[in-house]
Amino acid sequence: MTQDQDYALIIGIAHYPHLKSLQGPIEDARRVAHWLKGPGGLPWQNVKVIESLGLEHERPVIDEINKGFDEIFARAEAYNKERPRRPVRRLYVYFAGHGCSRERNHLALIMANADRRNLNRAMNSTEYRNALARRMFPEQIYLFDCCRKYDGRITGHGPDWTSDDTEEDVQGLTQVVMYAAGFRQAAHERSMRWSVRRGLFTQALMEGLEGAAATASGVITSAGLGAYVQRRLAVLAKSEKVRQCYTGDTQGEKQHLILASGVEPWRREVSVTLPIDASRIVVNDEHGDTVWTQVTAPGQTQAALHLTLGLYTIKVEPTGVSMTIDLLPDLDGNAYPLDLSGTYSCHG
C-alpha cells in the first residue's frame, strides 16, 4: 500500500576526512531507504537520501541536512494543500555515522567536516526532535546508528528554522526514538557473514523490518520492532564480543505505530526431543496465549515445530516439562534444538 502521507530523511556518513572513517553507513542508509520505498510504502520522491561523497569532500555538512528537511517540508506543505482532508502523517529520520553524548537525553550527530578541534560541527538531535515536534507530522520515528560515548565538550547545533516558543506540538504527536547504543556506549560495525561491513544495530533493524519482527498476521509495529532489535542486538553483540545495548523511547499518544502490514513473517524450525510417554506439545507465546498444539504419536521422541520468531514457552504433556525460549533467526538455516525429554522445566 502506498503511504504518500509519509516522508523520510536518510543520512549515511562513512567518510570523515579528519576523523576515523567508517565502512557501513552508506550501505546501511541505502538498505533502510530501499525498505522504505518498498514494503514501507513511501513514494521514492518522499525519501531524501544524503550520503558522504568520499574522503576528498567534507560533506555532508549541517546546512545540507537542513536543506534536506526544507525539501521535505515543501513537499509536505504542497501535499496538505492538495489533500486537506488527508494530511501528512509520518516522518522517518535515520542517521548512520559518528556520534557522541554529553548526557542521557542528548545525542550529537557528527558531520563530515568535523575535526578534532571542531567536533561541534554536529546536529544536536534533541534540539531537532524538539523543533520537529511542532512541524506537521504527528508520527515521527528516529533511528540512530551511531556511538553515544560521553563527551561533555560537544553539544552540536539545532536547526536554524524560525520558530515561535509559544508554538505547541503537533496534535496527537508520537515520537519513537531507537538508539543503537546505551549512554556512554559505542555502536559497532562488523563484517560477520557479509562481504561488506554492517552496523549491528541496522542489521537487527533490517531483519525486523524484513519480517523477523512481524506478527503471525504479518504486521510490524514500532513496539514489536523495538523489542526484536533489543533481543537480536544483544545476541549479535555477544557473538562479536562487544558491548552494545539497544535503548529506545516512545513519547506521545500512540505506543504502537504500524510500520508495515502484509509482511511474510520469518519462521524457524524448533527441533524438539520428547520423552517416550509424550502425548501432546503445547506452545504459549509471551502473553501466555496458546498459539500451537500438536498431538504426538505413541513412542514418538522427535517433533518439528515451525514457529514465527518470538518468545515462547513450550510444554510437553503429560509430564509438564517445559522450557521458555527466545526464538531468533539463524542465518545459516539451522533448527533450534530443544530437549524436553527430562523431568524439569527451565528457561532457554
Side-chain angles (χ1 to χ4, degrees):
M1 179 177 178
T2 300
Q3 305 292 355
D4 54 358
Q5 302 164 278
D6 298 351
Y7 297 78
L9 181 66
I10 309 298
I11 307 164
I13 305 179
H15 307 98
Y16 288 88
H18 309 293
L19 302 173
K20 181 182 178 181
S21 288
L22 304 169
Q23 296 182 44
I26 290 178
E27 289 301 322
D28 284 344
R30 290 175 180 175
R31 194 174 174 189
V32 172
H34 179 77
W35 183 88
L36 287 168
K37 296 173 187 176
L42 277 67
W44 66 268
Q45 62 269 28
N46 286 13
V47 180
K48 175 68 175 178
V49 179
I50 300 175
E51 301 174 352
S52 57
L53 303 176
L55 288 175
E56 66 274 19
H57 301 281
E58 296 183 349
R59 296 174 57 191
V61 298
I62 200 166
D63 283 347
E64 293 173 80
I65 307 302
N66 287 335
K67 288 178 181 177
F69 278 117
D70 289 343
E71 289 181 27
I72 288 174
F73 297 153
R75 292 192 63 85
E77 288 167 358
Y79 178 93
N80 279 348
K81 288 180 181 179
E82 293 175 2
R83 305 183 187 184
R85 295 185 179 180
R86 190 173 181 266
V88 297
R89 181 184 66 156
R90 181 178 297 166
L91 175 67
Y92 293 89
V93 177
Y94 171 88
F95 175 86
H98 281 308
C100 61
S101 295
R102 60 184 298 163
E103 58 188 33
R104 201 169 289 276
N105 294 325
H106 170 263
L107 175 61
L109 311 176
I110 308 298
M111 297 291 102
N113 62 335
D115 58 44
R116 292 295 176 186
R117 295 185 177 181
N118 296 282
L119 289 173
N120 265 307
R121 291 172 178 168
M123 297 171 60
N124 184 321
S125 69
T126 305
E127 291 189 16
Y128 272 84
R129 287 196 292 112
N130 290 340
L132 286 165
R134 301 189 288 269
R135 288 288 185 131
M136 291 185 288
F137 301 97
E139 298 178 5
Q140 302 178 7
I141 299 174
Y142 299 89
L143 310 167
F144 298 127
D145 194 350
C146 59
C147 294
R148 297 186 65 206
K149 284 190 171 182
Y150 175 77
D151 194 321
R153 303 168 300 167
I154 303 171
T155 302
H157 301 277
D160 56 10
W161 315 318
T162 303
S163 61
D164 184 345
D165 289 340
T166 63
E167 286 183 279
E168 295 183 352
D169 290 349
V170 176
Q171 186 175 4
L173 175 70
T174 295
Q175 287 189 332
V176 177
V177 187
M178 299 185 181
Y179 296 106
F183 178 51
R184 296 179 180 267
Q185 283 188 339
H188 299 274
E189 58 178 15
R190 288 292 188 272
S191 296
M192 293 188 286
R193 67 194 302 274
W194 306 285
S195 58
V196 293
R197 289 171 80 84
R198 291 282 186 267
L200 298 185
F201 167 80
T202 300
Q203 175 60 25
L205 177 75
M206 292 311 306
E207 287 178 6
L209 290 172
E210 289 167 0
T215 64
S217 58
V219 175
I220 299 174
T221 67
S222 55
L225 178 63
Y228 174 80
V229 171
Q230 182 177 35
R231 291 157 39 224
R232 180 60 167 157
L233 181 58
V235 172
L236 292 174
K238 183 178 180 180
S239 68
E240 295 299 317
K241 298 180 173 59
V242 296
R243 185 170 179 264
Q244 181 178 343
C245 300
Y246 164 86
T247 56
D249 183 36
T250 299
Q251 298 182 357
E253 296 187 4
K254 298 179 181 179
Q255 297 295 305
H256 301 274
L257 302 183
I258 296 177
L259 307 184
S261 58
V263 179
E264 182 66 30
W266 286 14
R267 297 178 181 272
R268 186 177 176 188
E269 179 182 319
V270 180
S271 179
V272 185
T273 301
L274 303 167
I276 196 167
D277 57 345
S279 62
R280 191 168 74 140
I281 303 170
V282 179
V283 181
N284 292 335
D285 65 15
E286 60 185 308
H287 306 294
D289 296 327
T290 299
V291 296
W292 182 280
T293 60
Q294 181 172 320
V295 175
T296 59
Q300 180 179 343
T301 58
Q302 293 290 326
L305 311 178
H306 296 274
L307 303 175
T308 58
L309 304 182
L311 294 166
Y312 296 101
T313 298
I314 302 177
K315 182 174 69 173
V316 174
E317 296 179 345
T319 65
V321 175
S322 67
M323 183 175 289
T324 299
I325 66 170
D326 186 358
L327 192 61
L328 291 167
D330 183 275
L331 299 182
D332 293 320
N334 296 317
Y336 187 106
L338 181 61
D339 188 351
L340 296 180
S341 62
T343 58
Y344 61 90
S345 300
C346 65
H347 293 271

